[in-house]
């Protein structure tokens, strides 16, 4: 079981590495170079790619290059790879930072800063996970149940969101 | 030699331990008693464990400076009269997330232990700017200057407990209570508790 899981993970990593090493230039609405791994899957911003502006996507994005500006991935994940640099405000479902992220982030599920990752900025997220060695400087808002606390009202939304993230 | 000191000696990762705090609980803003979101400034780094522990009772904003590794360098800059430009760049970088903000609680941990006595008034000026009128500063001093104090990485384990992990080396400067009070003039030590490792846990309030 363990080996199966590991080999799947390795395969995925190899795919991503290949995608990074051989970027395919595709002109889309933005003048950016992306390699789309598969439809509805993950777009990889290659190590030599620099983007300035607003990036909006309905698929996961893995950044090995540089993005400056803003990123909106409402229902998807942003992965900042080990060589990736994101200097942008980000709205996403979840974020994993193996490289560098400077900016304010709003996440509906979780943000993970790995041992090689560094982040500066403000975080709004139900779950913040910092691995040993992760660098973080900035603010974390802890106001999930703010309306209930402020007005003494029991909110239905917050517990549901919590239950979902706990189940994962 | 303690188990953790032995582990450090052999290059193994030291174990986290949990210490009870008599003062932290009184200073931490608690959601059920809050009428507005509160603000906490942490001079140290932060772990997932501390974030989860705070979420259990705290409503507001936690700002993390992760400044402890820069303490020694900053002390050197403050002692160098020719380092004005570099000093202001370092300070701007160090305090960027907190500039213009006032906090209900400042968690200083061992930050004062990086500064020589002559630079404590500088720390007082910053604390004066960063703490609200009714706010607290929590940190560690030294009870006895002859006993060397090991460096530690601190975190919040619960409303009344710290987590701590030993680091290599000792605190550069060990300030006693009276010595510290002489220079931190905007604040008074409201409560203090002696810890087993020779630290003096202190809670400061504005004069």
């Amino acid at each position: 079981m363990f080996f199966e899981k590991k080999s799947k993970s390795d395969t995925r990593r190899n795919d991503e590495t290949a995608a990074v090493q051989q970027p395919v230039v595709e002109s889309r609405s933005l003048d950016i170079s992306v390699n789309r791994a598969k439809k509805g899957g993950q777009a990889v911003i290659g190590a030599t790619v620099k983007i300035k502006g607003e990036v909006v996507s309905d698929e996961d994005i893995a950044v090995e290059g540089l993005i400056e500006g803003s990123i909106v991935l409402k229902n998807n994940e942003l992965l900042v790879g080990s060589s990736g640099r994101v200097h942008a405000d980000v709205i996403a479902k979840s974020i994993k930072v193996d490289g560098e992220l400077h900016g304010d982030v709003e996440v509906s599920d979780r943000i993970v800063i790995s041992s090689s990752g560094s982040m500066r900025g403000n975080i709004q997220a139900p779950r913040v996970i910092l691995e040993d060695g992760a660098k973080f400087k900035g603010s974390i808002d802890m106001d999930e149940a703010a309306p209930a606390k402020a007005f003494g009202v029991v909110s239905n939304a917050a517990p549901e969101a919590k239950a979902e993230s706990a189940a994962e | 030699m303690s188990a953790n000191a032995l582990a450090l000696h052999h290059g193994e990762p030291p174990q986290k331990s949990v210490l009870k705090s008599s003062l932290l609980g009184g200073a931490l803003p608690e959601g059920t008693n809050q009428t507005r979101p509160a603000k906490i400034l942490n001079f140290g780094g932060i772990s997932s464990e501390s974030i989860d522990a705070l979420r259990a009772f705290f409503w507001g904003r936690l700002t993390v400076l992760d400044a402890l590794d820069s303490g020694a360098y900053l002390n050197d800059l403050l002692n160098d009269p020719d380092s004005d430009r570099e000093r202001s760049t370092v300070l701007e970088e160090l305090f960027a997330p907190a500039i213009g903000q006032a906090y209900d609680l400042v968690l200083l941990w061992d930050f004062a232990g990086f500064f020589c006595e002559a630079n404590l008034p500088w720390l007082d000026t910053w604390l004066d700017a960063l703490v609200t009128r009714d706010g607290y500063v929590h940190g560690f001093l030294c009870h006895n200057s002859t006993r060397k104090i090991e460096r530690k990485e601190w975190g919040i384990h619960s409303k009344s407990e710290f987590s701590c992990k030993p680091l290599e080396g000792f605190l550069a400067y060990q300030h006693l209570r009276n010595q510290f009070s002489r220079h931190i003039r905007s604040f008074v030590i409201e409560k203090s508790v002696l810890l087993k490792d020779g630290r003096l846990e202190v809670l400061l309030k504005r004069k």
Side-chain angles (χ1 to χ4, degrees):
Chain A
M1 192 75 174
F2 172 77
F3 293 106
E4 270 179 38
K5 194 172 178 183
K6 192 178 174 190
S7 85
K8 272 181 194 170
S9 149
D10 285 345
T11 312
R12 191 180 163 197
R13 199 172 300 133
N14 288 338
D15 288 345
E16 286 172 12
T17 311
V20 172
Q21 285 170 347
Q22 300 169 342
V24 175
V25 178
E26 214 178 79
S27 183
R28 302 177 72 197
S29 59
L30 276 168
D31 184 21
I32 59 172
S33 307
V34 294
N35 181 359
R36 296 181 64 184
K38 59 185 178 184
K39 195 177 177 183
Q42 187 183 61
V44 179
I45 311 296
T48 59
V49 180
K50 295 176 183 175
I51 298 171
K52 286 189 180 183
E54 184 183 17
V55 176
V56 182
S57 172
D58 284 330
E59 58 191 276
D60 297 346
I61 291 185
V63 182
E64 292 292 349
L66 168 69
I67 296 183
E68 288 179 358
S70 65
I71 301 174
V72 181
L73 312 169
K74 278 196 174 158
N75 300 310
N76 296 86
E77 182 182 18
L78 171 69
L79 167 65
V80 183
S82 53
S83 68
R85 286 183 299 148
V86 171
H87 294 188
D89 293 340
V90 181
I91 297 173
K93 184 184 174 201
S94 61
I95 299 176
K96 183 160 194 276
V97 184
D98 292 333
E100 179 183 291
L101 171 55
H102 289 187
D104 296 344
V105 303
E106 204 180 312
V107 173
S108 56
D109 185 1
R110 70 177 69 182
I111 176 166
V112 179
I113 305 173
S114 74
S115 54
S116 63
S118 76
M119 187 194 156
R120 282 178 178 221
N122 302 324
I123 297 177
Q124 279 188 333
R127 290 193 70 192
V128 180
I129 298 162
L130 289 107
E131 293 178 0
D132 258 5
K135 289 192 163 76
F136 172 70
K137 192 180 179 96
S139 295
I140 301 168
D141 285 343
M142 301 184 175
D143 57 357
E144 257 189 294
K149 283 172 178 169
F151 307 112
V153 177
V154 178
S155 160
N156 293 329
E160 276 177 16
K162 268 188 175 173
E164 273 177 22
S165 65
E168 280 193 7
Chain B
M1 197 180 266
S2 71
N4 278 325
L6 267 173
L8 275 175
H9 185 70
H10 294 295
E12 295 162 12
Q15 296 296 311
K16 266 191 183 174
S17 53
V18 174
L19 282 180
K20 208 156 180 62
S21 166
S22 318
L23 303 183
L24 192 64
L28 281 167
E30 193 173 1
T32 49
N33 300 327
Q34 289 177 236
T35 52
R36 61 172 175 85
K39 288 182 181 175
I40 297 176
L41 177 65
N42 180 8
F43 269 69
I46 194 80
S47 65
S48 297
E49 181 201 22
S50 294
I51 294 168
D52 291 343
L54 276 169
R55 275 197 200 280
F57 58 84
F58 173 66
W59 169 36
R61 174 170 277 203
L62 168 71
T63 300
V64 180
L65 290 185
D66 199 7
L68 298 191
D69 287 343
S70 313
Y73 177 52
L74 194 52
N75 186 58
D76 290 343
L77 287 178
L78 290 166
N79 289 334
D80 179 2
D82 299 325
S83 70
D84 279 4
R85 186 174 293 179
E86 192 180 351
R87 193 191 313 154
S88 58
T89 308
V90 170
L91 285 174
E92 198 176 312
E93 166 93 359
L94 195 68
F95 287 100
I99 285 173
Q101 307 285 319
Y103 292 87
D104 301 287
L105 173 63
V106 171
L107 297 170
L108 208 53
W109 306 118
D110 286 322
F111 193 65
F114 290 99
F115 296 91
C116 63
E117 195 174 345
N119 290 331
L120 289 179
W122 168 87
L123 184 59
D124 179 54
T125 309
W126 272 97
L127 291 175
D128 188 32
L130 290 169
V131 179
T132 58
R133 203 164 58 91
D134 301 324
Y136 289 100
V137 178
H138 179 278
F140 298 118
L141 299 178
C142 176
H143 177 63
N144 179 342
S145 60
T146 55
R147 179 176 171 185
K148 285 205 159 198
I149 306 243
E150 279 180 338
R151 287 190 60 204
K152 282 180 180 169
E153 183 182 283
W154 295 94
I156 292 173
H157 185 72
S158 74
K159 192 163 164 52
S160 58
E161 288 170 317
F162 304 121
S163 64
C164 69
K165 193 163 82 174
L167 299 173
E168 271 190 90
F170 297 94
L171 290 184
Y173 300 96
Q174 303 194 176
H175 303 296
L176 300 175
R177 182 191 167 116
N178 290 343
Q179 180 191 18
F180 190 75
S181 296
R182 260 202 312 277
H183 299 290
I184 305 294
R185 294 184 172 187
S186 312
F187 296 85
V188 62
I189 297 179
E190 191 180 69
K191 290 174 187 168
S192 61
V193 174
L194 175 62
L195 302 182
K196 271 197 294 191
D197 67 355
R199 280 175 170 82
L200 191 69
E201 181 188 2
V202 292
L203 192 61
L204 287 82
K205 204 163 169 50
R206 271 190 189 284
K207 278 183 180 167

